[in-house]
Amino acid sequence: MTELGNEQSDISAEKAGEDVAPATRPSRAPWVLGGVVSSLLTVSILFAIAERAYLYDLVEALPASSEPSGAEANKEIRDLESKARRARASLSALVPSSVYIVVDTARNRLYVKRGEEVLHEAACSTGSGGLLKDPENDRDWIFETPRGKFRVVRKVEDPVWTKPDWAFVEEGKPIPETWSERRDYDTLGDYALYFGDGFMIHGTLYQRYLGRSITHGCIRLGDDDLERVYRMTPVGAPIFIF
């Protein structure tokens, strides 16, 4: 096993009200199970949250000395400015006014925001995209963080992880028959924010890997950042992942 393989801090799920993960996972990627949740509206929201509108930035970046002369050129500039204002106004209207979370999986950054104000920013780790095959059965798992719009379903202190089948397959160990053999009390850290289908924002034993795409699908944070995000974010808060 590599160091990355030894990290077992990922896909947990809810079982009869307990803070546990299912013993088995279907053979496709977790994000495929839920379907493609991103829509054109969600993409618009994510862009409004993550970046300022492209046209707006383009206009703002133009130095005063670069403004062209002539009636036609001036009209093009005015049209561009007008489109930028409309685009920014339309996108800003989609931004939640309450607290929400944004996760940039390309940069591995997590933001807690209210409106367009950034309340907290942190390095995180997201899905590796790796493929794991079960040599004993016709099953496989792709470890991706899902993209789209979600919400905080529930928050748990001192979460317990019930290791799913893939965790034992990855370690080359036999899959246990009892739930008690699957329970892990240390891996998830002090807090977890569940956002559906077994995915959560939680802690990690290997904080030196924060900022890398190495997880089995969940989103990992360092201890201090995790506590702040947990305290700042209420149940029901939107989560945008792109």
Side-chain angles (χ1 to χ4, degrees):
M1 292 291 296
T2 64
E3 285 186 300
L4 302 188
N6 286 331
E7 296 187 70
Q8 301 166 353
S9 55
D10 291 287
I11 307 176
S12 310
E14 302 168 14
K15 173 179 175 289
E18 296 181 273
D19 305 325
V20 298
T24 57
R25 298 288 295 179
S27 61
R28 301 309 305 164
W31 60 269
V32 173
L33 293 175
V36 180
V37 295
S38 298
S39 64
L40 291 177
L41 177 60
T42 300
V43 171
S44 297
I45 295 174
L46 296 177
F47 274 98
I49 296 169
E51 300 289 345
R52 303 169 74 185
Y54 171 76
L55 290 174
Y56 182 86
D57 283 342
L58 183 61
V59 172
E60 290 293 299
L62 286 175
S65 60
S66 67
E67 293 184 5
S69 58
E72 184 175 346
N74 289 334
K75 182 180 183 302
E76 291 180 357
I77 292 296
R78 289 195 299 272
D79 289 344
L80 181 60
E81 291 173 337
S82 178
K83 290 178 180 178
R85 287 192 295 271
R86 290 197 301 271
R88 183 165 177 76
S90 296
L91 294 175
S92 295
L94 299 175
V95 177
S97 58
S98 58
V99 173
Y100 60 97
I101 292 174
V102 178
V103 180
D104 182 341
T105 61
R107 299 177 181 176
N108 282 310
R109 305 295 295 182
L110 180 145
Y111 306 87
V112 179
K113 305 186 73 175
R114 181 188 294 114
E116 296 191 8
E117 178 187 3
V118 177
L119 304 178
H120 186 65
E121 177 180 350
C124 65
S125 290
T126 55
S128 67
L131 172 68
L132 175 66
K133 291 183 175 292
D134 186 344
E136 302 296 330
N137 299 286
D138 185 23
R139 298 187 299 173
D140 57 63
W141 297 267
I142 301 176
F143 300 124
E144 286 280 6
T145 297
R147 274 70 164 174
K149 180 182 179 181
F150 307 89
R151 68 181 183 88
V152 178
V153 177
R154 64 189 182 112
K155 297 163 53 175
V156 176
E157 294 191 30
D158 299 319
V160 177
W161 182 39
T162 298
K163 298 166 62 174
D165 285 359
W166 59 257
F168 297 94
V169 172
E170 186 176 57
E171 295 174 353
K173 296 179 179 179
I175 297 174
E177 297 181 358
T178 64
W179 283 101
S180 62
E181 296 178 84
R182 296 174 180 267
R183 303 281 279 190
D184 184 328
Y185 295 87
D186 302 315
T187 296
L188 300 181
D190 295 331
Y191 308 96
L193 294 86
Y194 293 80
F195 58 92
D197 199 23
F199 294 100
M200 68 183 87
I201 300 170
H202 62 74
T204 176
L205 298 174
Y206 297 87
Q207 299 194 36
R208 63 184 179 276
Y209 292 127
L210 290 170
R212 302 185 188 181
S213 300
I214 59 169
T215 81
H216 297 90
C218 288
I219 299 164
R220 301 178 191 166
L221 288 173
D223 293 343
D224 293 340
D225 290 322
L226 178 62
E227 181 173 5
R228 292 192 66 179
V229 172
Y230 184 88
R231 302 296 184 196
M232 298 170 70
T233 309
V235 172
I239 301 176
F240 300 97
I241 306 175
F242 68 99

